[in-house]
Amino acid sequence: MTILVRTRFAPSPTGFPHVGSIRTALFAWLFARHHGGKFLVRIEDTDVTRKVKGAVAAILDGLSWLGLDWDEGPYFQSQRLELYHKAAEYLVSRGNAYYCYCSPQRLEEMRKEQVKRKVPPGYDRHCRNLSKTASPNLSGQKETAGITPVLRFKMPLTDQTRFQDIIRGNVVFKNSLMDDFVLLKSDGYPTYHLANVVDDHKMEITHVIRAEEWLPSAPRHILLYTALGYTPPQFAHLPLILGSDRSKLSKRHGAVSITEYRDQGYLPEAMLNFLGLLGWSLDDKTELFTQEELIKNFSLERVSKTAAIFNTEKLNWMNGVYIRQLSLDDFTQRAFPFLDKDLPPMMKRPLSVDYVRQITPLIQERAKLLGEVTQLSRYFFVEELDYDVNLLINKGMTCESTIQALEVTKERLRELETFDAETLEVLLRSLAEKLKLKAGQLFGALRTAVTGETATPPLFQTMAILGGERCLRRIEEALDKLKKLSV
Ligand code: GLU
């Protein structure tokens, strides 16, 4: 019998969507799409104190940007409280959960004591045998005294919980080492454990695909599924993602939120490809995958057990590859908003699409990020160039010989009728010869003069786009600077 695969992405809206969390979403999505199943999004927002404004929108934006579409949801756990309360009541009625009246102060003292005695932390089960039936007076008294209890799971004290994780294989946890964790908090909200299990069951999730940090939760969840009379889903815990120095991936390694990557000008297809290889591979050589290829080839069996390294250089390389693969129109369209955002605000808007379209062919080869496009093409847009005058003087030249070369060049350019790349090339090559300069010396001086940069796309094309008038004006300005230097 084939089952319909159903996976989910279940983020807590406690911050902006970390690339690690999006990698989890991607693997769950790929698995569902590979099997022709369903992928759903569930926002686990039961921790009221840790909710961050704007986080849900950023999470959904991040998913949409990468093309990770969902078939159901987003569900919000905060809108499903009744379900969790029903499950909690069921557990109490079956003797699998109990109310705990321990004050935060008592728990704090207990924790300190445990640290002092170097015993594993965890609730000491003080209220475990304080059930209403066992000692109705005591619990009754506490409730009238205004103490709102929490509900705890009654952990079996013997045996082990074992399960087969699709990635990690056979996993065994000793029940006695797990404490009686909280199911319902005193504010009436369920904990992650309860809400997660109830929802994965109600939403008929077949495969729980999530980060390795949740592995210790899995045995608790399995016991909870069993206590609730549910069949547990299959589990697949994905390997950690580390920075290149093998420490936990953090801000220090560059951006971490997926929306930041988007804003820096990574392409979604490159990001998708890169994230797809964080812990999964087809073989040890294939690096480039389209979305369809990832879907076709993805399997949990090929997810590695060892941590994946987030290598920003590789991501940048990959992004460059994807940028160069874009059609010119597509690249122009994607680069446009970055120019619009990053060029000085006093420049005339809207920018001319036709003009931008002349420049993008020169930039596409060189940009690794869309966010670099403005820096690489500034001199096409801004009037004033700001550069160190010494950059005009090339190797083997002096201030005087540069002045002389630029003066002659200026005169010759002024006489030109057509200012296109071929004409410029013919003219400037023969001029270099006449001036007894190496082509590189003359072109170098000219490049700095007209762009303010020492490395640019091909000079003649660049000059043709800048146009005769602007080039001549900039050569004048360069000459002024040089003359000031020589006096
Ligand atoms: N809300 C948890 C998280 O933020 C979900 C973990 C799970 O997938 O079970 O990652």
Side-chain angles (χ1 to χ4, degrees), residues 451-470:
T451 66
E453 304 284 337
T454 50
T456 65
L459 178 63
F460 314 116
Q461 292 173 38
T462 303
M463 288 177 69
I465 296 171
L466 285 167
E469 207 182 299
R470 198 156 24 165

Side-chain angles (χ1 to χ4, degrees), residues 8-12 24 42 44 192 196 200 208-211 213-214 221:
R8 64 2 178 227
F9 175 46
S12 303
T24 301
R42 180 174 77 225
E44 302 209 320
Y192 154 69
N196 186 274
D200 279 344
V208 166
I209 299 170
R210 64 185 171 197
E213 60 180 300
W214 302 105
H221 293 182

